[in-house]
Amino acid sequence: MNHRKIFIAVAVAVSMYSSSLIALAEQKAFYTTEDAYVSASKLMYDYNEGSVYQVYVQLGHVTDISLHPNEKLVGVLAGDTERWNIETASVDSTVHVYVKPKFADIGTNFIINTDKRSYRLAVSSADTYNPVISWDYPEEMYRKLANAEVYQNREEKEFLDIFTEKVDGRYVAKTMNYSYETKGSKKADAALFPRKVFDDGTRTYIRMPKSNKYDLPVLYNIESTDKEKLTLVNYRIHGAYFIADRVFTHARLYYSANVYVDIYPKKEESSLPKISAGGDAQ
């Protein structure tokens, strides 16, 4: 039996409003660079109040922290101020905070306060760096869409039907469960792994990377009492998402006998990653 399905079609890219609404529903305590997306030289995070964002800097380089346009800087605080160069500037009504380490292999936390928001960063000096850090602001997009009475297109209305629900005549974000992890077979390429998996208690949403446009897997449910028993599960494609009408305790994206990715509920994480404290001058 041929389990491999190849579709010669390009998947529709996820629009900006979809990613923003998902980010509003998912508010993690700590965001790593893997949670961000790249736009030119920028590493873009979705802003959530109270979250901490990972930033990599490098000795001999400056990282530009770019804030929301029209915000006014109140102050920049750091756990360690002696081993870091910190400067600020305003460019076309946008505040920029420039961070440069004086030593290699050091780390600290930054809190950047403006008249509207607080940005909390976990900054580490490493052998690579993020040239520019910036944010999208999901709550702004959500307020715009939540009050909209006329939708621009069918896809926008369909997305809101999936990821929001009406309460007292207003659209509010559904409560989503993002606690999933993945594990692939030895021959599973990184492009075959989901970027994100979550459920709303009824359906499971599997977000695939843009690089995986043609190679679509078969989706199986694996029984908890019999790992050899695989049950085929139908799914539909919405933009970059595979949507299955069920919730899983163990699912498998099957590409071939030796190439597959398993999806499990994530184990509870008890603490934030540690920040390196040491360092040597160079």
Side-chain angles (χ1 to χ4, degrees), residues 198-245:
F198 54 95
D199 72 78
D200 61 8
T202 303
R203 299 177 180 86
T204 299
Y205 306 88
I206 303 171
R207 180 181 177 183
M208 300 302 293
K210 293 181 180 180
S211 56
N212 184 32
K213 296 177 179 178
Y214 309 110
D215 224 1
L216 302 185
V218 177
L219 178 62
Y220 286 114
N221 176 63
I222 300 180
E223 298 293 336
S224 58
T225 56
D226 184 0
K227 301 298 183 183
E228 300 298 322
K229 185 177 181 180
L230 279 63
T231 304
L232 181 67
V233 178
N234 292 324
Y235 66 87
R236 59 191 178 277
I237 299 173
H238 178 72
Y241 291 86
F242 301 159
I243 304 176
D245 292 323

Side-chain angles (χ1 to χ4, degrees), residues 89-109:
S90 181
V91 181
D92 195 21
S93 300
T94 298
V95 172
H96 294 259
V97 178
Y98 303 109
V99 178
K100 180 180 178 181
K102 297 180 181 179
F103 301 89
D105 301 320
I106 61 174
T108 191
N109 70 307

Side-chain angles (χ1 to χ4, degrees), residues 33-47:
T33 54
E34 294 182 354
D35 295 315
Y37 65 93
V38 177
S39 175
S41 63
K42 290 183 179 181
L43 193 69
M44 302 285 295
Y45 283 111
D46 289 306
Y47 180 85

Side-chain angles (χ1 to χ4, degrees), residues 123-228:
V123 184
S124 299
S125 176
D127 57 1
T128 186
Y129 81 111
N130 308 126
V132 184
I133 300 291
S134 188
W135 284 265
D136 279 330
Y137 299 86
E139 81 280 2
E140 294 182 351
M141 181 66 70
Y142 183 73
R143 283 196 296 267
K144 176 182 177 182
L145 293 178
N147 295 320
E149 296 182 359
V150 179
Y151 301 95
Q152 295 182 3
N153 51 53
R154 185 178 63 183
E155 287 75 19
E156 183 173 313
K157 177 63 167 64
E158 181 180 358
F159 182 87
L160 291 178
D161 288 342
I162 294 172
F163 290 97
T164 69
E165 58 187 351
K166 264 194 172 182
V167 177
D168 297 329
R170 293 176 57 85
Y171 286 98
V172 297
K174 290 181 181 179
T175 299
M176 298 291 193
N177 170 35
Y178 292 85
S179 296
Y180 287 92
E181 59 186 353
T182 58
K183 182 179 180 181
S185 62
K186 292 182 179 180
K187 295 186 177 181
D189 185 82
L192 303 180
F193 281 71
R195 290 288 292 128
K196 200 181 293 282
V197 180
F198 54 95
D199 72 78
D200 61 8
T202 303
R203 299 177 180 86
T204 299
Y205 306 88
I206 303 171
R207 180 181 177 183
M208 300 302 293
K210 293 181 180 180
S211 56
N212 184 32
K213 296 177 179 178
Y214 309 110
D215 224 1
L216 302 185
V218 177
L219 178 62
Y220 286 114
N221 176 63
I222 300 180
E223 298 293 336
S224 58
T225 56
D226 184 0
K227 301 298 183 183
E228 300 298 322

Side-chain angles (χ1 to χ4, degrees), residues 239-258:
Y241 291 86
F242 301 159
I243 304 176
D245 292 323
R246 61 161 297 156
V247 176
F248 298 91
T249 55
H250 186 176
R252 174 169 294 176
L253 297 174
Y254 182 100
Y255 296 90
S256 71
N258 296 319

